[in-house]
Every structure is written in C-alpha cells, then in structure tokens.
C-alpha cells in the first residue's frame, strides 16, 4: 500500500473514532488509564481489570476493544500466565477487522506456543530493581562484579555538581571517591576483582581504588576526541576503551595498558558503524561488540590482535549490546527480531558461534539497555523514562454541554514525550519528535489532535533536533544530522513518498556541537525558515532560508546566548535568554530590550509567547504575566499570581490575538498532589477565567499551541524532573544451569 495512504487511513480512522461521542471518549480514557497502570505503575492486575471493564461496558466500541483485549494478553504474558494465549486468540477470533492488533496477537501467540531451545522456565528467572535514594537520577552507574556494591555518578543540585560514589547494597554505607568528576558523560567500569574503578569525563581515563585515595591518569586521548571505558581485561592489566574522533567522524576500539605506553587500536571505522560497545571474552583473547553495516546492526567478535573478525549474527533486525557469559559458553545480546526488544543468547565455541541464537527473556521493551555483567552471570540494565511519561493533550476552549469541565483528552500514542510539537498549516495534524520513553535516537511522529493515534515516519539514519512544517503541509522539515557521515543539515521528509532530501548540508559539528544547525522554525508571515547555528563561547548565529532550502543567509551572528531562541512569526524580532535574563532583539538594528531578569541562576522555565501577528510578546516571571507591544514600546501587566501559586511558561496567544492562555501551578503541594489549572485572560486586560484542570494522571502542564479552530494543545507530566528518572535492574537465572558457572 502507498505509504501516504497508510498515513491517511490511520489518521482518518482516528478522526472518526474521536468524533463518535462521549461514550467513546470515556472508553478511550479508560484505555489510557489501563496503559498508565500497565506501563508506568507496573500494576498488571489493575490494568487487566480496567481493560476487562472496557470490554464489558463498551462492547460496541470495537476499535478500543481490540486494543484492550490485546493488552489483556500482554499483561498476562508479563505475569507469566497461560491466560495470555487465550487472550491473544480472542483478539484473532473476535476482532478480525482490526488487522494491526490481530497481527501482533498472532506474533505473540506464535512465540508463546513454540518452545525456546535450551532456556529455563520463566519461573527460574529473577528480574529485580536495584534501588536507593539518588540512584534514580544516575544514568552512569555500574554494579560491582560480586553484586554487592554500586559505583555511580551522583548529580548534585540541578545537575551542576557531579561526584563519583560507591554504595554498599548490603549495609547502605556510601563513600565519595571523587568529589568533582566533571559536568556530563562520566562513565565508570569496575576491575574484575572489584578493587578498582576506571572512570572518565571528557578525554582523561582515570583509575581509582574502590575504597578511596588519589586517582591516577592512565591516558588522555588527543584533542577533539572523547574516550569511554568499556571493560577491563580479565588479567586486570589493561582497559578496553572506545575513542570517538569528531574531526574524522570515526570510532576506534583500543586497549590501554595500565603500566603506561600508547594504546593499541584493533578495530576502527566510521562513527555509528563501529559502535561504542565492547566486552572481553573470559580468557581475554576476543572482544565482542557490534557494527552497523548497510543500516543493519549485528553482533561481531574480534580477536584482540585485530587479525580476525567474526560476524556472530546476520539477522535483519537490530542485534546490539553483546556480553560474554562468565564461562564463555554464551554471548547474550539485545534484539528486536521477534517484534519486541528481548534478551537473546547464542552458544559460543571460542570466538565462533556454536549454534543458533535463542530468546531467553521476552518483552523487555525499548526503554531497557544492557549495561554490564556480574561474576555469577547476571545482566544489569538501565531503564529510562520512569515516572509518568509525558503525554500530549488537547481541549476545546469553547466547551460543549457534553464536556462542561474543560476536560483534556490524549492526542498522541502514549507515551508521547513530545519535543516541540508543531501543527500543520491547516491545523489538522501535528508533527513532533520523541523517543517515546525509550533509549535511543528521537524519531518524528505525525498525528491528529483529536485522536490518540499517530504514525512514525522513517528516519533513514537521520537524527532530528526538531521539526517544522513547510507552507503546503505536505512535507516536514527538520534540523539534525545524518548518521553516515555526521554532517549537520536541514532535511525535508515527504509524507507522500516518505523520502528524505537535503535542503542544506554542512560539516560534522565540532566540540560543543559548534556548527550544528538547530531550532528550526517556519515563519508564516515572513515566508521563510529561521534556524540557529551553534557558535563559539556561548554564542548563536541566526540564519534564514527559503522554503525550498535556497538562499541560506546569516541575519545575525554572535547572539549572546547558548540557549534556543524564539523568533517572531514575521521574522523581525527574536526573544532570547541567558542564565539570568530574558531579552527581545530587533533583527533590523540589533537593539536588545530587557524583558525580565532574575537572581536564581538555575531557573530554566523561561519561554515567551508571540502573538500571531508578531507585534506582541508575552512572558512571565512566575509571579506576573506581562505583555509587550513592540509598536507602542510599552509593557502591561495582565495577571498577578496569588500567594502560593505561580504562572508557568509559556503563555499562548489565541489566533486572533484577543486572549492569552497560561498555566497556574500550586506551589504549596507536591507535583502529584494538585492539578495545574489553565486560565485565559484578555490580552488588553480584564478578568481572567479558569477553563480547565490538568488530567489526573499528568498534573503538570505546559501549553503548546492554540489552533484556528479553538483547540488548545498542552504537554503533561507528573514530575518536574527533566529526565523522568532512571532505573537499574538485574536479570539472573535465564540460561541453562551450565551457563551460570562463575569465571575461574
């Protein structure tokens, strides 16, 4: 089927579903509540009850019923119960017209009825979370080989102070090994005996005793590179590292001796072809890693002398993250070859596969990433995006009698976690980038504001920073870079043929992403795109280009900010901020005007809102909502927040410029204790009116857009945390008993 017709059909189905009345909305709301219990809270029994209620109370709602019945099966499968097979068969028998759900049900049913060769019964596995205060904010953490300690990078207030710590999981005692280890990207690795820890931030590879003391610098990589420790040699005398060379856009796997001397490179290749993962075999003769060739990621094994390369997997799916089991009899890896992200294993004879791969843990999910191996054969995982994942919502500002409370409804496939959602020119579709709560590159999604369905567009190995629509609404344009050579650019993706073409192409970015093209905006009144180029020393360059990518020109260089900016719809002004102030600047005479300043350098919630004609800008300093009329040169106050509340940015203008919408947040209660309120106020002054409350499951709101048809869009979450939290898990008991022997 033509891809354009697929998108059109799915979106049309969503539109019909959303317009069919209050009963269906209630069924959809129940379905979203079931997803919340299943995917966020992990309360599978409650989720099954909710899905069953949908099936009982809304038998005529077959679209939601098919999804609910499928998720009954998914919940039972996660619980390890045989009822999963019956639930999947009901999808096939009772909802034959819903092809997507039937297809998934058939796949899951086939996997449950075919025995997995060599694997233990599901009941023999243990999969537990490692928890203690502070670990939820730590993406960089490693379990010791004996499983008794956790080395992790502790993030201080607002993530500005990082320290390396070791915590005993038995006693709870914790020690600070290094008080300051940098600002970002501090990777850690334990030595085989658990006596030392290698870590790196930036270019210096360091080693420190696990009980404390002064660290020693083992090696510093050349300027323009970045080094990451991957594994210690079994002998403990060298460390495997990945070195990323941004100048040549290459990756190198190297072995660094602890005794001194230059590192030895044994495999090199283009960046994102040789991936930064590697793990020594138990005897130290081989390294297992992964490569991407022709867009396909597979597991490879190399001899440490670089003379031998063995391709372990040849499947068309994504096979990544291989680790040797302690006795060397298996390689375990992470793969989506069965339609979901599962843990697989392949028997090994030295560096050569000794048999076919088989699945050992099903339905792990895309938000899990393997991070290490313990001495007794346990695999550790990092999970991203806990808490309530962000969602996208819409509501009709002019409320109907059937919905008098101003209720928000979901507008995208959950979880959305949308970044810079942008509406099409006609206002009937929304485009946004998202990771959907997973670990991996962001992708682009298209959906309807009146439906909880959306369509993922093929990114073809491109990384999108953000997305915008062109004037005709038939293409989405994004700023980003392409994986093959790392070159930054502006790219246009056709909804008709789903092909990507280059509009502008630059060089790979330098240190600090210097030269990267970011923050793309379509300016409807100017008929041009505006974007930023990352400059030097906290500076940004502003550029504009025609709709077809022609006539790229600089309109201002050296804007004093390292944040993304907010251009006016007519392209005549740009709002920007630094750490302590918000400004608007004219691009005609480059005259800046101070809008607001603050003393708290950690305040990041600064997002102004432009009127549709570009003549007025609204902003908040949390306590007051203000508007500046650029023609008059005067600012006026619209709203002052009462004590115990604050006004949340950004304010959003109605299409006619008559009203401004804003969010009021209660500061006297926790994030999940109160619901944010949505208010509107006349832009020329007058009484404000509360029009809606945030959804119960996502009490914190941020307004996104106010469409021509009177629809207001908002993003919702349940936590003020930017990351949404991290989890660290340990999986054990998933292989035949002989595969669980300790390394000797």
């Amino acid at each position: 089927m033509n891809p354009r017709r697929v998108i059109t059909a799915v979106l049309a189905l969503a539109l019909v579903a959303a317009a069919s009345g209050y009963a269906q909305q209630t069924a959809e709301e129940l379905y979203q509540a079931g997803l919340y219990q299943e995917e966020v809270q992990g309360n599978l029994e409650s989720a099954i009850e909710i899905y069953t209620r949908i099936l009982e109370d809304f038998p005529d709602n077959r679209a939601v019923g098919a999804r609910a019945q499928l998720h009954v099966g998914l919940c039972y499968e996660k619980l390890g119960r045989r009822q999963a097979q019956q639930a999947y068969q009901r999808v096939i028998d009772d909802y034959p017209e819903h092809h997507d759900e039937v297809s998934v049900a058939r796949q899951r049913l086939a996997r449950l009825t075919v025995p997995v060769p060599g694997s233990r019964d599901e009941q023999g596995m243990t999969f537990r979370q490692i928890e203690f205060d502070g670990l939820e904010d730590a993406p960089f953490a490693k379990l010791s080989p004996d499983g008794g300690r956790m080395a992790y990078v502790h993030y201080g207030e607002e993530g500005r102070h990082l320290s390396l710590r070791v915590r005993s999981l038995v006693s709870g005692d914790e020690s600070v090994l290094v008080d300051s280890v940098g600002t970002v990207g501090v990777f850690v690795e334990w030595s085989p005996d658990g006596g030392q820890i290698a870590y790196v931030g930036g270019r210096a590879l360091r080693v420190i005793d696990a009980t404390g003391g002064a660290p020693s610098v083992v090696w510093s990589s050349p300027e323009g590179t970045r080094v990451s420790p991957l594994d210690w040699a079994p002998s403990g005398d060298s460390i495997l590292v990945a070195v990323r060379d941004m100048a040549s856009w290459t990756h190198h796997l190297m072995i660094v001796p602890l005794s001194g001397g230059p590192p030895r490179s044994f495999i090199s290749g283009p960046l994102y072809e040789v991936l930064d993962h590697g793990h020594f075999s138990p005897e130290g003769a081989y390294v297992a890693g992964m490569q991407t060739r022709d867009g396909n990621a597979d597991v490879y094994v190399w001899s440490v002398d670089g003379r031998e390369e063995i391709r372990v997997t040849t499947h068309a799916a994504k096979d990544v993250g291989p680790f040797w089991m302690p006795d060397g009899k298996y390689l375990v890896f992470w793969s989506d070859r069965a339609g979901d992200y599962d843990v697989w294993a392949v028997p090994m004879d030295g560096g050569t596969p000794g048999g076919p791969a088989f699945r050992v843990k099903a339905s792990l999910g895309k938000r899990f990433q393997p991070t290490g191996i313990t001495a007794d054969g346990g695999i550790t995982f990092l999970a991203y995006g806990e808490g309530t994942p962000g969602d996208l919502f819409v509501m009709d500002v002019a409320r109907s009698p059937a919905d008098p409370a101003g209720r928000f409804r979901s507008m995208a496939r959950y979880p959305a976690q949308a970044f810079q959602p942008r509406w099409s020119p006609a206002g009937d579709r929304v485009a946004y980038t998202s990771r959907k709560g997973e670990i991996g590159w962001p992708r682009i999604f298209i959906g309807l504001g009146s439906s909880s369905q959306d369509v993922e567009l093929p990114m073809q190995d491109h990384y999108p920073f953000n997305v915008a629509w062109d004037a005709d609404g038939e293409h989405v344009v994004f700023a980003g870079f392409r994986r093959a050579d790392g070159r930054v650019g502006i790219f246009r993706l056709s909804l008709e043929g789903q092909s990507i073409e280059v509009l502008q192409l630059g060089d790979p970015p330098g240190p600090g992403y210097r030269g990267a093209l970011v923050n793309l905006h379509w300016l409807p009144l100017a008929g041009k795109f505006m974007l930023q180029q990352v400059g030097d020393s906290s500076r940004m360059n502003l550029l504009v280009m025609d709709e077809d990518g022609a006539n790229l020109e600089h309109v201002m260089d050296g804007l004093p900010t390292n944040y993304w900016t907010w251009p006016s719809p007519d392209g005549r002004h740009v709002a920007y901020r630094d750490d302590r102030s918000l400004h608007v600047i004219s691009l005609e005479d480059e005259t800046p005007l101070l809008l607001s300043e603050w003393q708290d350098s950690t305040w990041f919630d600064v997002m102004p809102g432009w009127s549709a004609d570009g003549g007025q800008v609204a902003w908040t300093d949390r306590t007051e909502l203000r508007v500046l009329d650029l023609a008059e040169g005067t600012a006026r106050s619209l709203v002052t927040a009462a004590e115990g509340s604050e006004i949340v940015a950004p304010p959003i203008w109605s299409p006619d410029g008559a009203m401004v919408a804003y969010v009021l947040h209660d500061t006297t209660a926790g994030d999940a204790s109160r619901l944010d309120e949505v208010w509107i106020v006349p832009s020329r002054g007058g009484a404000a009116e509360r029009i809606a409350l945030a959804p119960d499951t996502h009490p914190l709101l941020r307004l996104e857009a106010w469409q021509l048809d009177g629809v207001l869009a908002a993003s919702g979450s349940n936590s003020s945390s930017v990351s949404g939290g991290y989890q660290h898990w340990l999986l054990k008991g998933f292989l035949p008993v002989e595969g669980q022997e300790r390394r000797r």
Side-chain angles (χ1 to χ4, degrees):
M1 179 180 288
N2 185 296
R4 170 68 173 173
R5 292 181 181 175
V6 173
I7 295 177
T8 303
V10 173
L11 297 182
L13 175 62
L15 182 60
V16 171
S20 61
Y22 178 75
Q24 172 142 4
Q25 291 176 15
T26 304
E28 181 64 40
E29 289 170 1
L30 283 174
Y31 177 70
Q32 295 296 328
L35 287 180
Y36 175 72
Q37 292 296 324
E38 176 187 352
E39 298 180 353
V40 178
Q41 298 292 345
N43 193 338
L44 302 178
E45 299 283 4
S46 294
I48 292 172
E49 291 180 7
I50 294 173
Y51 296 139
T52 302
R53 178 183 166 188
I54 294 172
L55 297 171
E56 293 174 350
D57 293 353
F58 304 95
D60 296 330
N61 192 331
R62 298 186 60 78
V64 178
R67 284 182 279 153
Q69 183 62 56
L70 176 63
H71 277 269
V72 170
L74 293 172
C75 291
Y76 277 135
E77 183 177 348
K78 293 173 184 177
L79 289 168
R81 298 180 184 173
R82 293 187 178 275
Q83 291 101 312
Q85 298 182 33
Q86 300 172 359
Y88 290 142
Q89 190 62 53
R90 280 198 60 184
V91 176
I92 298 169
D93 294 341
D94 296 351
Y95 301 94
E97 75 276 19
H98 291 280
H99 305 295
D100 290 344
E101 286 77 13
V102 169
S103 176
V104 174
R106 290 188 188 279
Q107 293 177 15
R108 311 294 290 198
L109 188 60
R111 290 164 57 186
L112 289 175
T113 54
V114 176
V116 178
S119 65
R120 299 177 65 184
D121 184 84
E122 179 79 11
Q123 297 301 318
M125 296 186 195
T126 60
F127 194 36
R128 66 177 181 87
Q129 185 181 352
I130 303 169
E131 297 181 272
F132 56 82
D133 288 343
L135 190 59
E136 69 278 1
D137 296 321
F140 304 106
K142 281 294 176 73
L143 190 64
S144 62
D146 63 4
R149 293 165 294 166
M150 180 70 85
Y152 74 105
V153 178
H154 177 269
Y155 280 60
E157 184 178 354
E158 297 295 335
R160 292 180 178 270
H161 182 82
L162 280 65
S163 58
L164 176 59
R165 305 185 178 197
V166 171
R167 184 183 183 96
S168 169
L169 301 182
V170 178
S171 66
D173 295 337
E174 184 171 291
S175 60
V176 179
L177 298 187
V178 185
D179 182 61
S180 181
V181 290
T183 57
V184 294
V186 182
F187 299 89
V188 295
E189 287 289 339
W190 289 88
S191 62
D193 62 3
Q196 295 177 291
I197 296 172
Y199 70 96
V200 67
R203 294 169 34 230
L205 175 65
R206 298 177 173 90
V207 170
I208 189 171
D209 192 274
T211 59
S216 60
V217 176
V218 177
W219 180 64
S220 291
S221 63
E223 185 75 29
T225 65
R226 184 159 186 158
V227 60
S228 304
L230 301 178
D231 195 18
W232 289 65
S235 59
D237 61 359
S238 58
I239 298 175
L240 175 68
V241 300
V243 179
R244 176 181 295 188
D245 188 334
M246 299 303 296
S248 62
W249 204 249
T250 55
H251 243 142
H252 308 271
L253 297 187
M254 298 181 172
I255 297 177
V256 179
L258 268 65
S259 59
R264 178 168 53 85
S265 176
F266 66 92
I267 184 70
S268 299
L271 199 64
Y272 298 111
E273 182 174 301
V274 176
L275 304 180
D276 54 352
H277 179 95
H279 190 65
F280 279 109
S281 61
E283 76 287 352
Y286 297 96
V287 167
M290 52 193 184
Q291 286 194 94
T292 297
R293 293 180 178 174
D294 299 324
N296 185 46
D298 279 299
V299 175
Y300 286 78
V301 166
W302 301 279
S303 59
V304 295
D305 59 13
R307 297 178 180 177
E308 190 176 8
E309 177 181 277
I310 303 165
R311 185 173 180 176
V312 176
T313 65
T314 58
H315 201 279
K318 180 180 180 181
D319 297 338
V320 295
F323 286 92
W324 295 89
M325 293 305 293
D327 61 0
K329 293 183 179 180
Y330 294 93
L331 269 178
V332 293
F333 60 95
W334 187 61
S335 178
D336 63 351
R337 60 176 62 190
D340 200 352
Y341 278 75
D342 311 317
V343 181
W344 290 70
V346 58
M348 298 296 292
D349 182 7
T352 305
F358 57 93
R359 191 182 67 222
V360 295
K361 171 64 178 175
S363 303
L364 193 65
K366 293 182 180 181
R367 67 184 183 88
F368 282 87
Q369 175 176 290
T371 56
I373 200 87
T374 59
D376 60 353
I379 305 177
T380 56
F381 294 89
L382 170 68
Y384 171 77
E386 285 302 299
T388 304
D391 210 344
L392 276 173
F393 299 93
V394 290
M395 66 160 289
D396 295 325
V397 178
R399 300 175 301 283
S400 68
D403 192 16
R407 182 180 294 115
F408 280 97
R409 60 184 184 276
S410 180
M411 64 177 280
R413 177 159 51 91
Y414 181 84
Q417 291 188 309
F419 179 69
Q420 288 199 345
R422 300 283 174 79
W423 288 79
S424 63
D428 60 341
R429 289 169 290 174
V430 65
Y432 63 94
T433 60
S434 177
R435 288 183 170 86
K436 290 287 185 181
E438 304 163 4
I439 295 178
W441 283 23
R443 291 104 67 200
I444 296 176
F445 296 84
I446 303 290
L448 284 180
S450 56
S451 168
S452 61
Q453 299 186 40
D454 52 22
V455 174
E456 180 179 344
L457 301 181
M459 291 309 302
Q460 304 167 30
D461 277 344
H462 289 72
Y463 184 109
F465 289 124
N466 76 313
V467 65
W469 291 87
D470 64 0
D472 63 10
E474 295 300 318
H475 303 80
V476 292
V477 182
F478 64 92
F481 64 87
R482 60 187 187 189
R483 193 171 192 170
D485 54 15
R487 299 178 69 181
V488 302
I490 305 298
F491 307 90
R492 182 164 59 189
L493 198 162
S494 167
L495 298 186
E496 176 69 32
Q498 297 194 353
S499 60
I500 294 178
E501 63 177 311
V502 174
L503 296 184
Q504 289 287 338
L505 194 63
D507 296 325
Y513 276 94
R514 186 175 64 248
L517 302 176
V518 298
N519 196 27
L520 182 70
H521 289 261
W522 172 250
L523 308 180
L525 300 183
K528 292 180 179 292
F529 286 105
M530 181 174 285
L531 60 146
Q532 292 173 227
Q533 181 185 55
V534 180
D536 297 319
S537 303
S538 299
R539 298 277 172 167
M540 289 286 183
N541 305 323
L542 301 180
L543 301 85
V544 295
M545 72 176 189
D546 294 342
E547 182 183 356
D548 61 0
N551 300 319
L552 181 70
E553 60 176 311
H554 287 237
V555 294
M556 183 177 179
D557 288 339
L559 188 68
T561 181
N562 56 0
Y563 298 96
W564 287 19
T565 61
W566 300 270
S568 62
D570 58 8
R572 298 177 59 191
H573 296 82
V574 169
Y576 69 95
R577 59 154 297 182
D578 54 31
D579 283 342
R580 295 183 183 273
S581 56
L582 175 67
H583 307 260
V584 62
I585 190 168
S586 167
L587 296 182
E588 296 176 353
D589 57 16
E590 299 189 3
T591 301
L593 177 65
L594 177 67
L595 297 182
S596 180
E597 56 185 343
W598 53 89
Q599 298 299 315
D600 182 1
S601 63
T602 63
W603 180 28
F604 292 98
D605 188 20
V606 180
M607 290 174 284
W610 286 98
S611 61
D613 63 4
Q616 301 181 83
V617 61
W619 75 96
T620 175
D621 62 358
R622 290 184 173 176
T623 61
E624 190 176 17
L625 175 64
R626 296 175 63 81
V627 169
L628 171 68
D629 188 305
L630 295 173
E632 297 175 359
T634 57
R636 57 187 180 275
S637 175
L638 295 183
V639 177
T640 299
E643 184 176 355
S645 63
E646 64 182 17
I647 300 172
V648 180
I652 300 294
W653 292 74
S654 63
D656 61 5
M659 307 293 289
V660 178
Y662 61 95
V663 171
L664 200 64
H665 176 64
D666 185 348
T667 61
T668 63
D671 285 348
S673 300
R674 296 287 179 89
L675 301 180
D676 277 352
E677 302 174 355
V678 181
W679 290 68
I680 57 174
V681 62
S683 60
R684 285 293 171 181
E689 176 191 3
R690 190 181 74 174
I691 61 171
L693 294 175
D696 292 341
T697 56
H698 295 76
L700 302 184
L701 286 183
R702 185 184 69 192
L703 299 181
E704 299 288 355
W706 194 335
Q707 287 308 104
L708 293 174
D709 57 359
V711 173
L712 191 66
S715 297
S717 67
N718 82 331
S719 172
S720 56
S721 169
V722 174
S723 69
Y726 300 92
Q727 290 185 349
H728 298 268
W729 292 76
L730 176 62
L731 175 66
K732 300 179 70 172
F734 53 86
L735 283 176
V737 174
E738 63 270 17
Q740 296 293 321
E741 299 172 1
R742 288 180 177 270
R743 180 185 298 177
R744 291 182 171 86

